[in-house]
Amino acid sequence: MVGHSLVIRTPSRVRRVLTGNPAVIESVLTSPQELVVTAKQTGGSSLLLWEETGQNRLLDVFADLDVTSLRNALDQSFPNTSVEVQSQENKVMLVGVVPSVAIMEQMVKMAANFSKEVVNGLQLAAPPRPRQVMLKVRFAEADREKISQFGVNLFSTGATNTIGTISTQQFGAQSLSNQGTGTSGISQFNLSDLLNIFLFRPDINLGATIKLLQQNQVLQILAEPNLMALSGQPAHFLAGGEFPYPVVQGAGGTTLPTVTIVFKPYGVKLEFVGTILDDGTIRLKVAPEVSSLDYTNAVILAGFTLPAIQTRRAETEIELKDGQSFGIAGLLDQRTTVQLSKVPGIGDIPILGELFKSRNISRTNMELLVLVTPTIVDPVSGLVPESQPKVTMPVQNLNTDSFDKKGLPYPATPPVVTPEVPK
């Protein structure tokens, strides 16, 4: 290498030294049997040695650039690449595989500082297969509906063995029947709803049922889509349908209006774009939506009933690690319905009329919950077995120790060994 020295020792004393190209190498005798050769610049030269014994020696010396510092600089700047740096006289050669053109250009620029002639033997690596993002989404609707029912039903077997009943009829009337004659007759009655408080006075032939119930709903799953898309590519999901509604076009002037049909989607809808960053983080842009047809706010136009769309949607962009989850909640839909019933006339009497009234209060409180879990998958790559199957020889090898030391002959009948079949 240029700037380095080489020590040459001879078996006998050196009588004469001749350098073919003094501009390339320089030779100095440090002792009668030792010669130091130093490379001054790149190139080749011959070195002739005459010894006192009458023998002569011809050596060919080639001086190349020292690229050790360049090799270290490339290893530190690009630790994930495997590039070999070689030198031939005043040429620097780069051989290996690099991941991108930008890295190749930077390596060539760094090698140009060592030599004007750089041989670029770098090759671009095959582009890596893009990874994919699978999104597991759970749409759940928490029904916080609370129904409270309160009512009083009065009934009587009647005086003189006649059947009578007074009821608001909201929770189901009682079926009464009379059997027998006289004051000792037995009356029978059936209750349509046994989940209530029942009172009866046989001495005055008067009974009452009081109903006071509460009902709470819990949770239901709307959809559980699993979507997979390439990194940076959008994906869509819709579980629902499309309803048609007319659109009037071309009205005005002498142009007759035309009615066209346009379809609007509704249901459980999901749109997302997942991008895998270099550090393995998933940048996720997700937009869940749940919509339904609302006929209570419908519009009737030219005989067509156009329902409104009740929609709950959210849109966000976050970064998650592989396998982490996040939730979207708080999308509420609150409604209260009160149904009042009373007995005509007597139900309007103050204080006493409360016994002849019933009410049914329905509070609907729907909350939409969306749970999202992104994961990184690579379905294209095949499964690699953890270990290769072992192959057993059908006939055992000769036992060298037993044969050489004990003089045992090779067995006439080798043992039968069944080869293992890889599973």
Side-chain angles (χ1 to χ4, degrees):
M1 299 298 175
V2 175
H4 296 262
S5 300
L6 179 67
V7 179
I8 299 176
R9 293 181 177 88
T10 59
S12 59
R13 297 170 62 92
V14 178
R15 182 168 56 88
R16 184 182 177 188
V17 178
L18 177 63
T19 301
N21 189 355
V24 176
I25 61 175
E26 179 183 3
S27 58
V28 177
L29 280 171
T30 58
S31 68
Q33 295 181 349
E34 190 176 73
L35 178 67
V36 177
V37 180
T38 303
K40 299 170 61 178
Q41 66 179 17
T42 60
S45 175
S46 58
L47 182 64
L48 298 175
L49 304 177
W50 284 272
E51 303 177 5
E52 292 183 352
T53 58
Q55 296 181 356
N56 57 0
R57 183 181 300 178
L58 175 62
L59 302 177
D60 292 329
V61 182
F62 299 94
D64 298 332
L65 291 175
D66 186 7
V67 293
T68 304
S69 58
L70 175 61
R71 185 180 297 109
N72 295 335
L74 293 180
D75 292 341
Q76 294 179 0
S77 302
F78 310 99
N80 297 327
T81 59
S82 178
V83 177
E84 183 179 357
V85 182
Q86 302 175 357
S87 63
Q88 184 177 3
E89 294 185 355
N90 61 341
K91 298 180 181 180
V92 176
M93 295 179 293
L94 303 178
V95 181
V97 180
V98 293
S100 63
V101 179
I103 296 179
M104 179 189 298
E105 294 177 352
Q106 294 179 11
M107 289 185 174
V108 173
K109 289 180 180 179
M110 296 175 64
N113 297 328
F114 290 81
S115 175
K116 295 181 180 180
E117 298 185 14
V118 179
V119 180
N120 186 3
L122 301 176
Q123 297 180 356
L124 290 176
R129 183 173 58 252
R131 292 178 291 179
Q132 303 183 38
V133 178
M134 184 173 68
L135 201 66
K136 298 179 180 179
V137 184
R138 300 296 179 264
F139 288 87
E141 192 173 40
D143 188 356
R144 299 180 178 179
E145 179 181 2
K146 297 181 179 180
I147 301 177
S148 60
Q149 297 179 352
F150 175 77
V152 177
N153 290 344
L154 299 177
F155 59 92
S156 173
T157 57
T160 63
N161 294 329
T162 60
I163 300 175
T165 179
I166 300 176
S167 174
T168 57
Q169 300 294 326
Q170 182 178 359
F171 306 123
Q174 285 72 32
S175 176
L176 304 178
S177 62
N178 186 280
Q179 296 180 358
T181 58
T183 57
S184 61
I186 301 176
S187 298
Q188 297 180 354
F189 54 88
N190 298 322
L191 299 179
S192 60
D193 191 353
L194 296 180
L195 193 60
N196 47 41
I197 300 175
F198 172 69
L199 300 175
F200 183 72
R201 288 284 303 273
D203 54 345
I204 60 175
N205 296 326
L206 181 64
T209 56
I210 302 175
K211 185 171 185 179
L212 180 60
L213 301 177
Q214 289 185 350
Q215 298 178 4
N216 296 331
Q217 305 296 328
V218 188
L219 183 72
Q220 65 175 344
I221 302 298
L222 299 181
E224 297 182 0
N226 292 341
L227 293 181
M228 186 167 57
L230 294 175
S231 176
Q233 299 298 323
H236 306 272
F237 170 82
L238 175 63
E242 296 182 350
F243 73 95
Y245 70 96
V247 176
V248 180
Q249 297 179 350
T254 58
T255 305
L256 296 177
T258 59
V259 179
T260 59
I261 302 299
V262 179
F263 289 87
K264 293 285 292 184
Y266 70 94
V268 180
K269 184 179 179 182
L270 175 66
E271 296 181 359
F272 86 95
V273 178
T275 304
I276 304 175
L277 304 182
D278 295 336
D279 58 351
T281 305
I282 303 175
R283 178 173 295 172
L284 187 64
K285 182 178 182 181
V286 60
E289 177 182 329
V290 175
S291 59
S292 60
L293 300 181
D294 185 7
Y295 285 93
T296 58
N297 299 319
V299 177
I300 300 177
L301 180 62
F304 295 95
T305 302
L306 305 180
I309 300 179
Q310 181 183 358
T311 305
R312 284 171 289 174
R313 69 165 62 97
E315 184 174 354
T316 182
E317 185 173 358
I318 61 174
E319 291 185 359
L320 296 173
K321 288 292 186 180
D322 183 15
Q324 289 184 339
S325 301
F326 80 99
I328 301 176
L331 302 177
L332 300 178
D333 181 15
Q334 300 179 354
R335 298 185 182 184
T336 302
T337 303
V338 180
Q339 182 180 358
L340 300 177
S341 300
K342 65 179 179 178
V343 177
I346 193 173
D348 298 330
I349 301 176
I351 301 176
L352 182 61
E354 297 296 329
L355 298 176
F356 301 92
K357 294 181 182 180
S358 65
R359 67 179 181 271
N360 189 348
I361 302 176
S362 176
R363 295 182 177 90
T364 304
N365 190 357
M366 309 294 291
E367 180 179 4
L368 180 63
L369 306 175
V370 182
L371 302 178
V372 182
T373 303
T375 55
I376 301 176
V377 296
D378 189 5
V380 181
S381 61
L383 299 178
V384 180
E386 298 180 356
S387 60
Q388 298 294 333
K390 297 181 179 180
V391 180
T392 304
M393 299 296 293
V395 179
Q396 293 183 349
N397 294 329
L398 181 65
N399 191 340
T400 307
D401 296 337
S402 302
F403 186 82
D404 293 342
K405 295 180 181 179
K406 299 181 181 180
L408 297 178
Y410 189 80
T413 304
V416 179
V417 180
T418 303
E420 296 182 1
V421 179
K423 295 182 181 180

